[in-house]
Amino acid sequence: MSLPCTPSPISLPLIDIRRITWLALAALVVGLLGGAALASLDSRWLEPIVRALEPIGTMWINAVRMTIIPLVISMIIVAIASSDSLRSMGQLGGSALLFFLLSLAGIAVFTAFSAPFLLSGLTIDPAAAASLRETATSNSQRVTETVRGMGGVAQRLVELVPINPFRAAAHGAMLPLVVFTMIFAAALSRIPADLRDTPVRFFRAVSEAMIVVVRWVLMAAPIGVLGLALVVGSRLGIDAVQAVAHYVVVFAGLMLAVTLSMYLVSYLAGRVPMRRFAAAVAPAQIIALGSRSSSAAFPAMVDAARDVLRLPSPVVSFVLPLAVAIFRASTPVSFILGALFLGRLYGVPVSAGDVASLAVLSVLLSYSVPPVPSGSLFLMAAIFAGIGIPVEGVAILIAVDVIPDLFKTLGNVTTNMASAAVVAAVTERRARTGV
């Protein structure tokens, strides 16, 4: 028997979603171009517009983010506590983790073979290299302090079980929060039905209410995206990226390749037509590009998975939150390409063995990327030190991470949606064949 598909009882017309998506996309383009013009022309008359739109964009993204924690918690609790057996949810989670692992491994192998070739033509002017290294050294204190505060791998493993789940929620630590929620939901499923029914109904109501709030917030997406994109564009500048343009272009190209490959994966393994998948993922992609946050796009992903892809409720409620918490497809690209670029900048040879080690570590450590901007770059700092690359070099990657981060979030959101589609197809096939 196939898993039930329970679409939301309250739904915006599809035509409205399409109209909002196109308006948000237009706002994204106008905002980025307008901001870039501001940065390059130094137009004083545009500065008041940026100052006026920046709080509007911030308010909108805050409105999106305020729905994430209650939505994730309520969906996971309902999915696990309402399941007939924990074994079926374990199989669902196992399928998701397997997809995450295979995808990360494939991306790591692809990057390990293509990145050295794509950077082979990179030449860095000695004066520009010296300037970049000097800038990195002056900005290295923040990197060093952040890396020190993160602790080692053992500390991050311990923190997977939060001492205080409310503190984890307040700090945006999604993975520890998901771990606690899964444990709580599993315990809830073991108590008598008459006791379990009330909290499950409560959290189901919370989930549905948050979906309604999400749709209200998405109606304002064009205005919010315009404000965010204009600020991002105004901060790009041309001079800031000229010396590292090659790195930025290669990074963007690799992440675009990863993103496009997910359309094929969703079609071949998830049996979702590419056009339908594109329509489903587009709103989340636009929010991700505007906010540079995969988590901020999570509510839009839930909405599209339910109403456009019409995936089974357990997949939407369990696999998508799990993917947002731990599945970051951009990590192998960041690790390998960042090491190769900084190796050239500092004159540190990065051997094929180093690249292979980075590929393996990027897969194993991707789950522990801290919930901070450019989090994967801070995680890389300690790894790079092991192959002779100065820790302060990461400050250079952070300084130019505005553009790469756009493509990171684009790729992460797309792979998260593809994971839900593929797991749904695998689960359906397993239920049909009884395997």
Side-chain angles (χ1 to χ4, degrees):
M1 181 181 295
S2 62
L3 289 172
C5 179
T6 55
S8 173
I10 304 174
S11 178
L12 289 175
L14 188 58
I15 185 65
D16 286 348
I17 294 295
R18 290 177 176 174
R19 180 170 60 84
I20 293 169
T21 300
W22 283 109
L23 288 174
L25 179 59
L28 177 67
V29 174
V30 171
L32 290 175
L33 293 179
L38 171 65
S40 60
L41 299 177
D42 195 25
S43 301
R44 299 297 179 187
W45 64 274
L46 282 177
E47 291 182 5
I49 299 177
V50 175
R51 287 197 299 269
L53 286 177
E54 183 170 11
I56 294 175
T58 302
M59 288 174 61
W60 178 76
I61 200 60
N62 286 345
V64 174
R65 286 174 172 164
M66 75 178 181
T67 68
I68 295 172
I69 298 298
L71 189 58
V72 167
I73 292 175
S74 60
M75 290 179 67
I76 292 178
I77 289 176
V78 171
I80 296 178
S82 300
S83 177
D84 293 335
S85 69
L86 291 180
R87 183 172 180 270
S88 63
M89 296 306 297
Q91 291 177 339
L92 198 65
S95 298
L97 292 175
L98 180 61
F99 178 84
F100 300 163
L101 180 62
L102 293 177
S103 298
L104 287 168
I107 294 169
V109 171
F110 167 70
T111 306
F113 279 99
S114 58
F117 170 75
L118 293 173
L119 286 181
S120 60
L122 173 63
T123 56
I124 302 177
D125 180 76
S131 176
L132 282 170
R133 290 194 293 266
E134 181 180 353
T135 301
T137 302
S138 64
N139 294 329
S140 62
Q141 182 177 0
R142 177 194 170 205
V143 176
T144 303
E145 292 176 353
T146 304
V147 172
R148 187 183 300 117
M150 286 166 51
V153 175
Q155 178 180 334
R156 290 194 292 275
L157 286 173
V158 170
E159 290 174 351
L160 288 179
V161 180
I163 298 175
N164 185 342
F166 297 101
R167 182 175 181 273
H171 287 80
M174 288 295 294
L175 185 53
L177 183 62
V178 167
V179 170
F180 167 78
T181 305
M182 291 170 62
I183 294 172
F184 174 77
L188 194 62
S189 70
R190 294 299 190 185
I191 66 177
D194 58 331
L195 296 177
R196 182 175 68 242
D197 184 61
T198 298
V200 169
R201 287 171 62 86
F202 168 78
F203 282 109
R204 180 176 285 114
V206 170
S207 175
E208 293 296 334
M210 295 315 301
I211 289 293
V212 175
V213 174
V214 165
R215 288 168 181 170
W216 289 345
V217 174
L218 290 181
M219 293 293 289
I223 298 174
V225 170
L226 176 63
L228 292 168
L230 188 62
V231 174
V232 170
S234 68
R235 291 173 180 171
L236 292 180
I238 298 175
D239 295 336
V241 299
Q242 276 185 340
V244 290
H246 194 119
Y247 162 78
V248 171
V249 169
V250 171
F251 195 106
L254 289 174
M255 285 309 306
L256 277 176
V258 170
T259 301
L260 294 175
S261 70
M262 289 298 113
Y263 289 78
L264 184 61
V265 168
S266 65
Y267 174 70
L268 296 177
R271 294 180 293 183
V272 177
M274 291 189 189
R275 186 173 180 179
R276 186 179 175 192
F277 182 79
V281 78
Q285 288 175 331
I286 293 172
I287 292 175
L289 287 171
S291 64
R292 295 173 56 200
S293 170
S294 302
S295 296
F298 171 68
M301 285 190 278
V302 171
D303 203 38
R306 287 158 61 109
D307 291 344
V308 181
L309 297 182
R310 300 187 69 82
L311 300 181
S313 181
V315 173
V316 178
S317 301
F318 183 59
V319 175
L320 269 181
L322 187 63
V324 170
I326 67 174
F327 185 28
R328 294 173 177 83
S330 61
T331 305
V333 179
S334 296
F335 269 52
I336 298 170
L337 193 63
L340 290 170
F341 171 73
L342 291 181
R344 285 179 173 268
L345 179 65
Y346 284 94
V348 177
V350 180
S351 65
D354 293 331
V355 172
S357 298
L358 287 168
V360 174
L361 287 173
S362 69
V363 173
L364 297 178
L365 297 179
S366 64
Y367 74 91
S368 62
V369 174
V372 297
S374 305
S376 63
L377 298 180
F378 288 108
L379 183 63
M380 288 157 44
I383 307 299
F384 285 1
I387 57 178
I389 297 175
V391 172
E392 59 266 21
V394 175
I396 297 173
L397 302 183
I398 294 173
V400 300
D401 197 44
V402 173
I403 297 177
D405 204 33
L406 295 174
F407 294 92
K408 289 180 193 177
T409 52
L410 179 68
N412 289 339
V413 163
T414 308
T415 52
N416 289 344
M417 284 290 285
S419 69
V422 171
V423 171
V426 170
T427 304
E428 177 72 23
R429 190 180 306 117
R430 183 186 295 126
R432 187 174 59 252
T433 60
V435 178

